[in-house]
Amino acid sequence: MHPTIEDIRKARERIEGVIRPSPLIHSSAFSRLLDGDVFLKLENLQETGSFKVRGAYNRLSLMNAAERERGVIAASAGNHAQGVAWAATGLGIQATIVMPEDVSIRKLLAVKDYGAEVILFGTQFSDAYKHAEALSEKTGKIMIPPFADPQVVAGQGTIGLEISEVLDENTIVVVPAGGGGLISGIAIAAKSRCAKVRIIGVQTEACPSTIRSLEKGSPTAVEVCHTLADGIAVNKPGDLNLSIIQKYVDDVVAVDEESIATAILNLLDRANIIAEGSGAVPLAALMEGRISSRAKRYVLIISGGNIEINTIDRILQRGSIRTGRLIRIEIDLLDVPGSLWRLMGIIAKEKANILHIFHDRLNLENPIQVSRVKLNLETRGHDHAKEILDKLKEAGYDVKQTL
């Protein structure tokens, strides 16, 4: 049975005062870039860094005393786990969470910090979910589904109520789509506010389960490949969720890994927003032109911000290379006093910042008196990088750019 707009309104009443409405901000930078008014719904700023607290709290708050005594169990790659653990602690309920063995370390530690018992099982979400179901039957703990539950969907749908003031026929709401709980809840709420508002779901090409399910007309499992958007790497949408998507969602598109990484970088660089992969897919879809229809206004649901620090570092480094802000060069110098000083003088005059320098005196391609110097330089972009290379060549250096 589909949740109704009334279910979503009641969910908003239950979470009021416990879960704050997330900010809806207008982004001038992305509006200029994408030729339309772009709004960002910042669910990454929720207590657990994700929208999942909404559905989890709404579902758990409806449990009676006997059910609360039994405790709850859930399966998740991270964000649902944190939502259930956080909500359970606040309501005085014991929670057990089953997570895949290769789960994000940050998300694993967060779930433990919220007071839940954690069990690692399997390599994918589907493995963890089956194990959680078996434990639920064995222990009597109440299973809290991550998306295929009417009250979970109703909780996520409260986001749709919070964006109602910007919804009209000239608006497209772009939503990450994994198992379908978020997009189905938002779609019900948004369409009740304005029937002509368009709802677009976004998946990763590494796991296009909802897209394949829509093509076949029923929930269809797909192989899950490694993806930055692990939060939406669900191999099959829920029956409930797919039926809502079929009724209310206008389209579902897919984005590749490089576009997700670029979107994460752009959110950080242009809007000072930290988003995980699944939270960045709406921007990726818009920037890569995957949304065929145009609108005057776009509302992007930034669903979460739980991303590993080392992943951010790799994305920043790769992004710097793509934008010309980081270049790596090699130059052979006579290994005598003053050679390096002269080279550094030219680089300093051109206002480049030396991040790393390495002397390779053992390179067998060179004579023994020649040292190969490798430098990582921070620049202002491709034009600045070209100016530096030109100046070095004018000074007589044989420069090889390796990045």
Side-chain angles (χ1 to χ4, degrees), residues 203 208-220 237 242-243 245-247 249-252:
Q203 297 204 288
S209 56
T210 298
I211 294 173
R212 297 294 170 262
S213 297
L214 289 171
E215 291 171 351
K216 294 184 178 297
S218 62
T220 302
L242 183 65
S243 64
I245 290 169
Q246 288 170 322
K247 183 176 181 179
V249 174
D250 297 277
D251 195 12
V252 182

Side-chain angles (χ1 to χ4, degrees), residues 63-323:
M63 293 171 59
N64 60 39
E67 290 173 327
R68 295 187 184 199
E69 184 65 27
R70 289 159 61 185
V72 297
I73 189 166
S76 170
N79 286 335
H80 179 59
Q82 292 181 71
V84 171
W86 181 85
T89 297
L91 292 167
I93 302 170
Q94 195 279 326
T96 299
I97 309 295
V98 184
M99 308 180 79
E101 293 172 354
D102 61 350
V103 70
S104 155
I105 295 173
R106 174 177 176 172
K107 293 177 181 179
L108 171 63
L109 295 177
V111 172
K112 289 184 176 180
D113 286 344
Y114 291 130
E117 175 193 7
V118 176
I119 298 173
L120 298 179
F121 186 90
T123 58
Q124 295 182 1
F125 164 75
S126 56
D127 301 326
Y129 190 83
K130 289 176 183 177
H131 189 60
E133 284 186 316
L135 289 175
S136 175
E137 291 181 10
K138 180 180 178 180
T139 64
K141 292 179 181 292
I142 306 297
M143 185 76 176
I144 307 297
F147 43 82
D149 181 282
Q151 294 304 330
V152 170
V153 171
Q156 323 302 25
T158 58
I159 296 170
L161 298 180
E162 292 174 13
I163 60 174
S164 61
E165 70 272 16
V166 296
L167 299 180
D168 58 29
E169 61 185 15
N170 295 313
T171 300
I172 292 177
V173 183
V174 192
V175 190
L182 176 64
I183 192 170
S184 55
I186 288 176
I188 292 170
K191 293 282 187 175
S192 72
R193 170 65 176 83
C194 176
K196 292 186 177 180
V197 68
R198 284 166 283 173
I199 310 294
I200 306 294
V202 187
Q203 297 204 288
T204 168
E205 290 180 354
C207 186
S209 56
T210 298
I211 294 173
R212 297 294 170 262
S213 297
L214 289 171
E215 291 171 351
K216 294 184 178 297
S218 62
T220 302
V222 301
E223 181 182 356
V224 179
C225 300
H226 182 73
T227 174
L228 278 170
D230 61 326
I232 55 173
V234 180
N235 75 326
K236 185 172 75 171
D239 292 11
L240 168 69
N241 312 101
L242 183 65
S243 64
I244 297 172
I245 290 169
Q246 288 170 322
K247 183 176 181 179
Y248 292 105
V249 174
D250 297 277
D251 195 12
V252 182
V253 301
V255 293
D256 61 30
E257 295 303 300
E258 202 61 37
S259 68
I260 297 171
T262 301
I264 293 172
L265 177 65
N266 275 305
L267 282 165
L268 186 59
D269 190 38
R270 296 173 182 267
N272 298 314
I273 292 169
I274 296 176
E276 60 187 270
S278 55
V281 295
L283 180 62
L286 200 55
M287 293 190 70
E288 293 297 314
R290 300 300 176 94
I291 299 173
S292 57
S293 56
R294 302 296 298 168
K296 291 183 179 180
R297 182 186 300 112
Y298 300 90
V299 179
L300 310 186
I301 309 299
I302 310 302
S303 59
N306 293 316
I307 186 170
E308 296 283 355
I309 292 174
N310 59 354
T311 301
I312 293 177
D313 181 61
R314 291 199 299 270
I315 289 171
L316 289 175
Q317 294 289 341
R318 288 166 61 90
S320 296
I321 293 168
R322 284 197 301 271
T323 57

Side-chain angles (χ1 to χ4, degrees), residues 339-357:
S339 292
L340 184 61
W341 177 85
R342 179 170 174 263
L343 174 65
M344 297 299 99
I346 296 172
I347 293 173
K349 186 176 180 180
E350 295 305 312
K351 306 300 183 184
N353 185 33
I354 299 173
L355 299 177
H356 303 98
I357 183 168

